[in-house]
Amino acid sequence: MTPKLLEGKLGIVFGVASNRSIAWAIAQAWRDAGAKLAFTYQGERIKENVEGLVASFGKDTPLYPCDVTRDEDIAAVFANVQRDFGKLHLVLHSLAFAPREALEDEFINTSREAFRLAHDVSAYSLVALTRGAAPLMTEGGSIMALSFYGSEKVVPHYNVMGVAKASLEASVRYLAFDLGKKNIRVNAISAGPVNTLAARGISGFTKMMRIYPEAAPLKRNIELRELGDTATFLASEMSSGITGEIMYVDAGYNIMAMNVAPFEKATQ
Ligand SMILES: NC(=O)c1ccc[n+]([C@@H]2O[C@H](COP(=O)([O-])OP(=O)(O)OC[C@H]3O[C@@H](n4cnc5c(N)ncnc54)[C@H](O)[C@@H]3O)[C@@H](O)[C@H]2O)c1
């Protein structure tokens, strides 16, 4: 029997809030590919829900609290990983936050505090988590984050989150440069819209889910399974030559210069 792609790999997953979370889909794919995983949860409010989900991975699956705005939480997580696993190969960063009002109003009205918080949670956290994980990646590793096209082009209401995703994507490249010499790869998956808790906070999100299939070459939205598959590829030796990349899993939406549905309907 051929060994599974991630057999023997130890990983940690940040960003499971519900069974709709992208992190949950990726964790299941990594588990199915043979990885052993630890999880974190943001706070008491979602603890019970995440505990319930993680229990399905087996009773000995580590679960640690981690609010990524707290340095002491991050330090404790990696001390626990050291104790429980001894080393690490994979990190999934699948988290973001911006205050709801910053995703409803116009970008020009973004407050200093909303800008700071969005960047702290959604971009700086990748730097802090990578710094915590790298010393444990003694056999090399693969770190990945989730991004969105709003980092590059204007998406109505995505506002400060788009600016934070641009910072996240630039951080991916700088971290990839720093860690390449240790054979630790850092990449991001830029996902098409998926109906999750975080996505529902973006005003107009349902409209976006309708527009993507009209404009995307594949004429549909993506499935969570496809994010799991790509994340498994990026976690595995199959992608050993890839680092610092932003990989689109968006049914091709980003290659189009315009939505061709109204273009084709127009008579002149
Ligand atoms: N859903 C989409 O359409 C979509 C598209 C592209 C990219 N993404 C990105 O995917 C990632 C996961 O989002 P999702 O859509 O699965 O939503 P989700 O709500 O399931 O996940 C967001 C996660 O962020 C965590 N989080 C927020 N603030 C935190 C903090 N201070 N400390 C620790 N964790 C914190 C939440 O607990 C939650 O687990 C995010 O980076 C998001 O921007 C989502």
Side-chain angles (χ1 to χ4, degrees), residues 97-107 110 114 118 156-162 198-205:
F97 181 77
R100 183 177 272 267
E101 67 275 10
L103 304 174
E104 286 170 347
D105 201 353
E106 292 187 318
F107 176 65
T110 308
H157 306 300
Y158 202 60
N159 295 355
V160 71
M161 189 53 84
R200 271 176 245 149
I202 302 159
S203 101
F205 178 78

Side-chain angles (χ1 to χ4, degrees), residues 99-172:
R100 183 177 272 267
E101 67 275 10
L103 304 174
E104 286 170 347
D105 201 353
E106 292 187 318
F107 176 65
I108 196 171
N109 293 323
T110 308
S111 68
R112 188 185 298 274
E113 178 52 18
F115 193 96
R116 187 200 63 73
L117 187 57
H119 283 71
D120 187 6
V121 175
S122 317
Y124 177 72
S125 59
L126 180 69
V127 184
L129 296 184
T130 299
R131 195 166 55 242
L136 293 169
M137 294 185 148
T138 48
E139 298 171 353
S142 176
I143 297 173
M144 73 199 70
L146 266 297
S147 195
F148 182 60
Y149 194 35
S151 64
E152 255 185 71
K153 298 280 193 252
V154 173
V155 173
H157 306 300
Y158 202 60
N159 295 355
V160 71
M161 189 53 84
V163 182
K165 290 298 192 194
S167 168
L168 176 76
E169 292 180 10
S171 302
V172 162

Side-chain angles (χ1 to χ4, degrees), residues 14-18 20-24 40-43 45-46 50 66-70 93-97 117 121-122 145-149 158 161 165 168 189-200 202 205 209 222 224 227:
F14 293 84
V16 175
S18 76
R20 301 285 315 154
S21 293
I22 290 173
W24 184 239
T40 67
Y41 61 95
Q42 181 190 354
R45 199 173 46 83
I46 59 167
V50 181
C66 186
D67 179 330
V68 295
T69 61
R70 294 162 56 94
H93 174 289
S94 183
L95 51 92
F97 181 77
L117 187 57
V121 175
S122 317
L146 266 297
S147 195
F148 182 60
Y149 194 35
Y158 202 60
M161 189 53 84
K165 290 298 192 194
L168 176 76
I189 295 174
S190 184
V194 181
N195 196 358
T196 62
L197 291 176
R200 271 176 245 149
I202 302 159
F205 178 78
M209 291 282 293
I222 60 155
L224 278 168
L227 295 176

Side-chain angles (χ1 to χ4, degrees), residues 32-267:
D32 293 347
K36 185 169 163 51
L37 301 177
F39 290 84
T40 67
Y41 61 95
Q42 181 190 354
E44 290 304 309
R45 199 173 46 83
I46 59 167
K47 180 179 180 191
E48 216 173 298
N49 200 22
V50 181
E51 266 175 350
L53 291 170
V54 166
S56 69
F57 273 56
K59 274 211 287 294
D60 61 341
T61 304
L63 175 63
Y64 320 117
C66 186
D67 179 330
V68 295
T69 61
R70 294 162 56 94
D71 287 334
E72 58 275 32
D73 281 17
I74 295 174
V77 163
F78 290 106
N80 286 328
V81 173
Q82 167 83 62
R83 183 198 61 208
D84 296 339
F85 282 173
K87 60 186 174 181
L88 198 58
H89 304 100
L90 311 175
V91 174
L92 176 63
H93 174 289
S94 183
L95 51 92
F97 181 77
R100 183 177 272 267
E101 67 275 10
L103 304 174
E104 286 170 347
D105 201 353
E106 292 187 318
F107 176 65
I108 196 171
N109 293 323
T110 308
S111 68
R112 188 185 298 274
E113 178 52 18
F115 193 96
R116 187 200 63 73
L117 187 57
H119 283 71
D120 187 6
V121 175
S122 317
Y124 177 72
S125 59
L126 180 69
V127 184
L129 296 184
T130 299
R131 195 166 55 242
L136 293 169
M137 294 185 148
T138 48
E139 298 171 353
S142 176
I143 297 173
M144 73 199 70
L146 266 297
S147 195
F148 182 60
Y149 194 35
S151 64
E152 255 185 71
K153 298 280 193 252
V154 173
V155 173
H157 306 300
Y158 202 60
N159 295 355
V160 71
M161 189 53 84
V163 182
K165 290 298 192 194
S167 168
L168 176 76
E169 292 180 10
S171 302
V172 162
R173 291 185 283 272
Y174 278 93
L175 292 168
F177 173 65
D178 284 352
L179 295 178
K181 52 188 174 295
K182 295 185 172 160
N183 194 27
I184 299 171
R185 300 181 293 111
V186 187
N187 292 289
I189 295 174
S190 184
V194 181
N195 196 358
T196 62
L197 291 176
R200 271 176 245 149
I202 302 159
S203 101
F205 178 78
T206 330
K207 280 196 257 180
M208 213 193 305
M209 291 282 293
R210 279 206 307 272
I211 285 169
Y212 258 65
E214 270 188 20
L218 293 180
K219 300 289 171 216
R220 60 175 175 84
N221 278 305
I222 60 155
E223 293 171 19
L224 278 168
R225 177 194 57 77
E226 294 170 316
L227 295 176
D229 287 347
T230 301
T232 302
F233 165 71
L234 282 177
S236 79
E237 297 311 313
M238 302 275 285
S239 61
S240 58
I242 299 176
T243 194
E245 288 297 332
I246 313 302
M247 193 163 285
Y248 277 91
V249 180
D250 67 345
Y253 185 90
N254 76 94
I255 68 164
M256 302 303 294
M258 68 179 96
N259 179 354
V260 294
F263 179 85
E264 279 164 356
K265 267 188 234 140
T267 47

